């Protein structure tokens, strides 16, 4: 009975945000709405991480499971790698928490051990790609000081209009964990989906990373999933494409799936 | 709970691994020989898996991983050359998983504890020390057991885990077969293995909490462990043999995070009895403790240090008197007891330091580890460089070096110093 109440509560929370009246001059509300339309309770998908640089091309395939946490805002994510075979069954459990103090556990099949990844390492590369662990986490508007800068054409489609919002980490902790001093996001005015994000570090007015979002799939009324993300890391000259396929959002995912014991469950 | 045998889907997958290692300066042939050996080991693994999924009732995985090891040995001073092939089942089990529990039946690798290098609570698993230059985890041996895992999210911030093991002692094997004597190791098969209990038990239980990212686990194990161990050290050579030990152990480990540091600590207490029936030879109890800290160095490197301490309890060490006539087996067992505990002093302590770094977009991995023995005045050092530039192919070069003071028998271990190369291809 308790589980049923929790499910109903989460569903109502999602739909409350999805259908809320948004003040289009309020950056916090715009970002809340943007997060709400992408806050799918349960997600299972196949994913491919393609990384290119001047020196090499790399491709990794993994299974992606994501479940909304008990707070109704943050996520628990489990990724289990399938290819290349040298990393098969390596798995990462990502438990999002307040102030980006996320818990990250990694399973290494060669050692048959689950190891905790230190939280400050979240700014380091995710599996050799241009994404960092913090890039994969879901940013919440309340972790940042947000300012609506202007409205302009969306970078991916000039016929559409986007809000341009600057977000600065509210605390030193968040800044240290993400390694960014500023994020600038373009958010579609009509459907509140993120079109592009630029990431900046201290003491420079040039962005260090650019993330482009496309190929959104509508899973329910006012709920969308981004199936294509491209991140360009200016410093390392690496570009990574994260492609999702075989998306399923109607699967029930138990909490025991997002545990250390499940992490070491090789397939 | 009934298992609903409605097969939703199943998939058969096969993986093949071929791994080849060449090491020089491995084991020496005879007690007094100075003739070193060039040793090449080639492994081929076949991993077969079949996964069945049942709607709402879980998954059944069948896994079989046989491996064959080809060894080629050549000595510098003589014309002796040997080639042999050894078959082994690395792992083979059936695993059933559902929302509430997991069950594994068969031969599987048991790995306890989260520390590196020194791992006091990892006393249930077995190792084969004839695979010294291999990646550390490759020398683990599977245990034939029934393993039951229970996992509960007690609340949002508390994750509780339990593992219960029932191991079949009598069928465990890490036998030194005649084929494995190619490196000049002696066979030491001890009598009266039937005195050991037929079934062993293990328990691991603990919890992980979000508060300071803390984990605490407790371990208990009572079983017969069979391992390939160093059983004797002569002035010029090292003897490897199969040892069957009846062992009881109790351990605890914990970890927590503070700023950029992850702290890990483990402690265990173990009692041993050999299967020899040598009641007049008391086996020492062993208490072991380690505390370590690990932190990242930038984005591509990591450093870890540990302090460890090991103490023999209830056993007068260093009591072997060559002038006192005792039978050879007893004498060897006394030396063995000291060696099995890694020292001939009541207590050994020291430090470990590990440094890992990644270069060239994480394609080149450098691993360095050093372990010191303060009482024996010695150290162990391992360094390796692994290149993963081509998909599914890993190339490794490395070295293993031992040193101990001339006044201790462990000084002979430096004869095992060697360099190695490994090529691993998985497809």
């Amino acid at each position: 009975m308790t589980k049923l109440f929790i499910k109903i509560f989460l569903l109502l929370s999602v739909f409350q945000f999805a259908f809320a009246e948004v003040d289009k001059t309020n950056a916090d509300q715009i970002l809340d709405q943007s997060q709400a339309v992408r806050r799918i309770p349960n997600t299972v998908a196949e994913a491919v991480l393609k990384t290119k640089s001047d020196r090499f091309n790399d491709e990794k395939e993994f299974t992606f499971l994501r479940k909304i946490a008990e707070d109704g805002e943050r996520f628990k994510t489990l990724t289990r790698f399938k290819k290349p075979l040298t990393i098969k069954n390596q798995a990462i459990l990502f438990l999002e928490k307040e102030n980006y103090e996320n818990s990250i556990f990694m399973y290494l099949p060669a050692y048959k051990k689950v190891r905790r990844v230190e939280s400050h390492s979240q700014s380091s590369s995710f599996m050799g790609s241009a994404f960092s662990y913090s890039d994969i986490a879901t940013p919440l508007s309340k972790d940042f000081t947000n300012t609506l800068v202007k409205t302009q054409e969306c970078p991916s489609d000039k016929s559409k209009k986007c809000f341009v919002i600057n977000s600065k980490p509210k605390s030193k902790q968040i800044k240290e964990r993400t390694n960014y001093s500023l994020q600038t996001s373009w958010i579609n005015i009509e459907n509140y989906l993120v079109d592009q994000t630029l990431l900046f570090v201290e003491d420079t007015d040039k962005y260090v990373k650019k993330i482009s979002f496309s190929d959104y799939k509508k899973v329910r009324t006012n709920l969308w999933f981004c199936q294509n993300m491209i991140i360009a890391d200016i410093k390392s000259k690496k570009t990574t494409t994260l492609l999702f396929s075989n998306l399923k959002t109607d699967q029930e995912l138990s909490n025991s799936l997002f545990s250390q014991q499940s992490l070491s469950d090789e397939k | 709970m009934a298992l609903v045998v409605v097969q939703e889907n199943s998939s058969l997958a096969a993986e093949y691994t071929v791994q080849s290692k060449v090491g020089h300066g491995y084991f020496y042939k005879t007690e007094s020989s100075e003739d070193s050996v060039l040793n090449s080991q080639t492994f081929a693994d076949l991993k077969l898996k079949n996964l069945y999924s049942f709607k709402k009732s879980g998954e059944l995985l069948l896994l079989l991983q046989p491996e064959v090891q080809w060894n080629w040995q050549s000595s510098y001073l003589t014309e002796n050359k040997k080639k042999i092939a050894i078959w082994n089942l690395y792992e083979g089990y059936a695993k059933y998983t559902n929302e509430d529990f997991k069950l594994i039946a068969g031969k599987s690798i048991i790995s306890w504890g989260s520390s590196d290098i020194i791992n006091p609570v990892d006393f249930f698993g077995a190792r084969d020390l004839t695979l010294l230059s291999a990646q550390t985890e490759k020398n683990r041996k599977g245990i034939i057991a029934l393993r039951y895992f229970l996992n509960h999210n007690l609340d949002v911030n508390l994750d509780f885990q339990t593992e219960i093991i029932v191991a079949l002692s009598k069928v465990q094997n890490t036998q030194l077969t005649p084929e494995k004597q190619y490196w000049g190791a002696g066979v030491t098969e001890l009598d009266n293995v039937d005195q050991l209990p037929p079934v062993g038990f293990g328990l691991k239980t603990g919890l992980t909490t979000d508060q300071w990212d803390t984990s605490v686990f407790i371990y208990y194990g009572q079983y017969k462990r069979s391992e390939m161990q160093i059983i004797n050290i002569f002035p010029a050579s090292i003897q490897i043999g199969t040892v069957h030990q009846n062992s009881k152990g109790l351990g605890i480990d914990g970890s927590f995070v503070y700023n950029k540091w992850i702290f890990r600590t483990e402690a265990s207490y173990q009692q041993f009895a050999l299967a020899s029936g040598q009641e007049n030879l008391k086996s020492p109890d062993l208490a072991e403790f380690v505390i370590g800290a690990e932190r990242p160095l930038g984005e591509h490197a990591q450093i870890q240090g540990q302090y460890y301490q090991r103490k023999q309890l209830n056993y007068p060490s260093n009591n072997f008197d060559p002038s006192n006539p005792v039978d050879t087996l007893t004498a060897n067992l006394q030396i063995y007891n000291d060696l099995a505990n890694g020292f001939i002093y009541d207590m050994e302590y020291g430090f470990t330091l590990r440094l890992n770094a990644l270069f060239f977009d994480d394609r080149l991995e450098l691993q360095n580890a050093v372990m010191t023995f303060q009482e024996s005045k010695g150290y162990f050092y391992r360094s390796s460089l692994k290149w993963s530039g081509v998909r599914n192919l890993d190339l490794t070069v490395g070295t293993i070096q031992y040193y101990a003071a001339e006044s201790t028998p462990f000084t002979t271990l430096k004869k095992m110093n060697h360099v190695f190369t490994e090529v691993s291809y998985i497809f």
Side-chain angles (χ1 to χ4, degrees):
Chain A
M1 196 56 138
T2 310
K3 279 188 183 173
L4 178 62
F5 280 133
I6 291 173
K7 281 183 198 168
I8 293 171
F9 169 74
L10 286 174
L11 214 54
L12 286 174
S13 304
V14 166
F15 281 110
Q16 177 196 1
F17 278 111
F19 289 100
E21 196 69 37
V22 178
D23 177 358
K24 296 194 178 187
T25 63
N26 186 314
D28 289 335
Q29 287 193 23
I30 294 168
L31 282 172
D32 284 341
Q33 181 64 11
S34 177
Q35 284 146 23
V37 298
R38 290 176 293 142
R39 190 172 287 125
I40 302 167
N42 290 329
T43 307
V44 178
E46 300 298 318
V48 177
L49 199 64
K50 294 183 183 180
T51 301
K52 287 183 185 178
S53 74
D54 295 338
R55 291 182 291 209
F56 74 98
N57 291 343
D58 183 60
E59 192 168 306
K60 293 180 169 77
E61 294 178 28
F62 58 94
T63 305
F64 176 87
L65 287 86
R66 176 170 278 191
K67 180 184 170 77
I68 203 162
E70 285 75 9
D71 64 1
E73 290 184 319
R74 300 182 196 271
F75 288 96
K76 305 180 190 185
T77 306
L78 173 66
T79 58
R80 189 177 300 281
F81 287 85
K82 301 196 298 185
K83 285 182 182 175
L85 293 175
T86 43
I87 61 166
K88 185 170 179 178
N89 279 311
Q90 271 190 36
I92 299 170
L93 177 63
F94 198 98
L95 306 173
E96 295 175 18
K97 295 193 286 185
E98 297 267 337
N99 296 322
Y100 271 80
E101 288 182 2
N102 306 321
S103 291
I104 309 173
F105 297 92
M106 184 178 283
Y107 174 67
L108 299 170
Y111 296 90
K112 305 271 184 201
K113 282 189 196 293
V114 173
R115 302 298 299 276
R116 189 190 298 274
V117 175
E118 186 276 320
S119 53
H120 281 78
S121 301
Q122 289 180 66
S123 58
S124 60
S125 165
F126 174 71
M127 300 304 286
S129 73
F131 286 98
S132 66
Y133 288 93
S134 62
D135 291 335
I136 298 194
T138 315
L140 292 184
S141 63
K142 62 184 183 185
D143 291 333
F144 299 85
T145 304
N146 306 298
T147 314
L148 176 60
V149 177
K150 58 185 172 182
T151 305
Q152 68 171 186
E153 294 163 345
C154 294
S156 66
D157 184 349
K158 304 294 181 193
S159 66
K160 309 278 185 199
K161 288 283 187 198
C162 276
F163 298 112
V164 181
I165 294 178
N166 278 349
S167 302
K168 291 186 180 178
K170 263 187 183 165
S171 71
K172 189 182 165 189
Q173 259 176 340
I174 295 172
K175 193 166 141 185
E176 275 178 2
R177 292 215 180 5
T178 62
N179 211 33
Y180 305 126
S181 59
L182 172 69
Q183 297 182 30
T184 302
S185 305
W186 278 255
I187 296 174
N188 190 300
I189 282 178
E190 289 169 19
N191 53 29
Y192 294 93
L193 295 175
V194 182
D195 191 273
Q196 178 180 280
T197 299
L198 298 180
L199 302 164
F200 297 81
V201 296
E202 204 85 79
D203 301 329
T204 176
D205 55 1
K206 287 193 187 240
Y207 60 85
V208 293
K209 285 188 185 176
K210 179 169 96 173
I211 312 178
S212 304
F213 302 82
S214 63
D215 194 14
Y216 279 96
K217 183 173 179 178
K218 192 171 187 178
V219 298
R220 248 176 251 166
T221 306
N222 272 359
L223 273 183
W224 300 79
F225 185 85
C226 178
Q227 298 189 111
N228 189 329
M229 284 189 259
I230 301 175
I231 185 166
D233 186 327
I234 309 306
K235 186 180 168 188
S236 66
K237 295 181 185 166
K238 250 194 261 191
T239 304
T240 297
T241 304
L242 178 55
L243 288 164
F244 291 94
S245 61
N246 287 341
L247 179 69
K248 292 173 190 164
T249 57
D250 54 351
Q251 315 259 296
E252 221 176 280
L253 300 176
S254 67
N255 278 327
S256 62
L257 263 177
F258 301 90
S259 65
Q260 291 182 57
Q261 198 138 278
S262 172
L263 198 61
S264 58
D265 212 10
E266 296 186 25
K267 301 288 180 196
Chain B
M1 182 192 68
L3 180 67
V4 177
V5 188
V6 172
Q7 186 177 305
E8 286 289 317
N9 57 68
S10 79
S11 59
L12 175 63
E15 287 169 29
Y16 308 87
T17 306
V18 178
Q19 194 174 45
S20 184
K21 291 177 277 290
V22 177
H24 169 248
Y26 245 149
F27 307 100
Y28 283 67
K29 293 190 67 166
T30 67
E31 186 172 331
S32 57
S33 171
E34 290 294 329
D35 182 14
S36 70
V37 167
L38 180 67
N39 190 307
S40 159
Q41 294 175 336
T42 300
F43 295 85
D45 262 4
L46 170 65
K47 193 185 265 187
L48 291 167
K49 292 185 201 175
N50 205 349
L51 183 68
Y52 300 88
S53 298
F54 304 95
K55 190 174 181 180
K56 291 188 180 177
S57 300
E59 278 181 350
L60 177 66
L61 173 74
L62 302 177
L63 180 141
L64 203 62
Q65 190 176 353
E67 65 177 14
V68 60
Q69 175 190 334
W70 288 278
N71 289 276
W72 176 83
Q73 185 190 52
S74 168
S75 97
Y76 280 118
L77 299 183
T78 72
E79 293 300 314
N80 285 337
K81 288 179 172 48
K82 278 187 188 172
K83 292 180 198 176
I84 55 165
I86 304 166
W87 287 92
N88 179 44
L89 181 65
Y90 186 68
E91 286 191 302
Y93 57 78
K95 177 172 73 175
Y96 175 72
T97 313
N98 70 12
E99 227 176 85
D100 300 315
F101 69 91
K102 180 167 70 178
L103 194 62
I104 295 177
K107 188 174 187 180
S108 63
I109 304 290
I110 296 176
S111 171
W112 280 353
S114 57
S115 293
D116 285 332
I117 307 178
I118 309 284
N119 216 172
V121 301
D122 193 23
F123 48 70
F124 209 94
R127 299 225 183 220
D128 181 349
L129 288 191
T130 58
L131 303 173
L132 272 181
S133 76
Q135 180 183 345
T136 316
E137 296 309 307
K138 185 66 182 171
N139 66 20
R140 287 187 180 276
K141 289 297 170 187
I143 301 287
I144 299 170
L146 192 64
R147 299 168 70 186
Y148 175 77
F149 300 80
L150 199 59
N151 184 71
H152 278 302
N153 292 117
L154 295 180
D155 70 28
V156 167
N157 298 314
L158 208 59
D159 187 12
F160 179 72
Q161 301 171 43
T162 296
E163 178 185 354
I164 298 169
I165 303 172
V166 177
L168 300 179
S169 297
K170 284 199 171 176
V171 299
Q172 307 297 352
N173 63 70
T174 316
Q175 301 297 327
L176 182 60
T177 60
E179 289 80 19
K180 271 198 169 180
Q181 295 180 52
Y182 65 93
W183 46 68
V187 177
T188 304
E189 286 294 332
L190 301 174
D191 298 328
N192 299 318
V193 294
D194 285 344
Q195 288 187 11
L196 299 171
V199 174
F201 299 98
L203 170 70
K204 170 187 169 183
T205 186
L207 52 86
T208 302
T209 169
D210 276 358
Q211 184 68 25
W212 300 315
D213 281 327
T214 305
S215 300
V216 177
F217 286 92
I218 293 172
Y219 305 82
Y220 174 75
Q222 176 179 338
Y223 70 109
K224 182 200 90 172
R225 179 168 61 185
S226 296
E227 280 192 321
M228 297 286 290
Q229 293 184 7
I230 296 174
I231 58 166
N232 222 329
I233 297 181
F234 301 109
S237 68
I238 296 137
Q239 188 176 25
I240 298 277
T242 308
V243 175
H244 308 285
Q245 284 178 318
N246 189 20
S247 155
K248 281 186 197 175
L250 187 64
I252 184 167
D253 91 348
S255 66
F256 68 96
V257 177
Y258 181 73
N259 279 343
K260 294 192 179 188
W261 293 90
I262 298 179
F263 293 92
R264 295 192 179 92
T265 184
E266 289 186 21
S268 71
Y269 171 72
Q270 295 178 64
Q271 289 181 325
F272 299 101
L274 296 178
S276 66
Q278 298 277 344
E279 295 302 328
N280 60 334
L281 182 69
K282 192 169 169 48
S283 300
D285 299 344
L286 180 66
E288 214 172 346
F289 159 77
V290 65
I291 183 161
E294 175 185 313
R295 67 163 284 167
L297 297 174
E299 287 191 19
H300 302 287
Q302 193 181 62
I303 190 165
Q304 180 200 282
Q306 291 176 314
Y307 169 77
Y308 75 91
Q309 200 163 305
R310 310 168 85 186
K311 187 164 174 62
Q312 293 191 91
L313 304 169
N314 307 321
Y315 182 66
S317 64
N318 204 18
N319 65 350
F320 175 55
D321 180 0
S323 65
N324 192 15
V326 295
D327 63 272
T328 308
L329 182 60
T330 305
N332 283 345
L333 286 171
Q334 285 181 321
I335 295 174
Y336 159 73
N337 277 333
D338 291 334
L339 295 174
N341 298 310
F343 51 97
I344 56 170
Y345 308 99
D346 281 343
M347 189 175 81
E348 181 61 274
Y349 66 100
F351 300 91
T352 73
L353 187 66
R354 182 170 62 85
L355 178 65
N356 290 357
L358 293 165
F359 306 95
F360 300 111
D361 299 308
D362 298 352
R363 283 163 187 263
L364 186 66
E365 183 181 6
L366 173 67
Q367 290 192 359
N368 287 301
V370 64
M371 176 176 170
T372 67
F373 308 93
Q374 301 302 115
E375 287 287 346
S376 312
K377 298 180 179 52
Y379 65 80
F380 161 84
Y381 171 68
R382 178 192 157 104
S383 181
S384 68
L385 204 56
K386 183 167 84 172
W387 172 249
S388 306
V390 176
R391 200 170 172 87
N392 298 340
L393 180 70
D394 288 341
L395 305 170
T396 308
V397 295
T399 183
I400 287 182
Q401 304 287 322
Y402 300 91
Y403 171 81
E406 298 286 333
S407 55
T408 75
F410 302 104
T411 189
T412 309
L413 287 174
K414 66 177 179 281
K415 287 181 180 271
M416 293 164 73
N417 291 349
H418 62 281
V419 295
F420 61 88
T421 60
E422 294 181 14
V423 177
S424 175
Y425 184 66
I426 179 168
F427 61 98

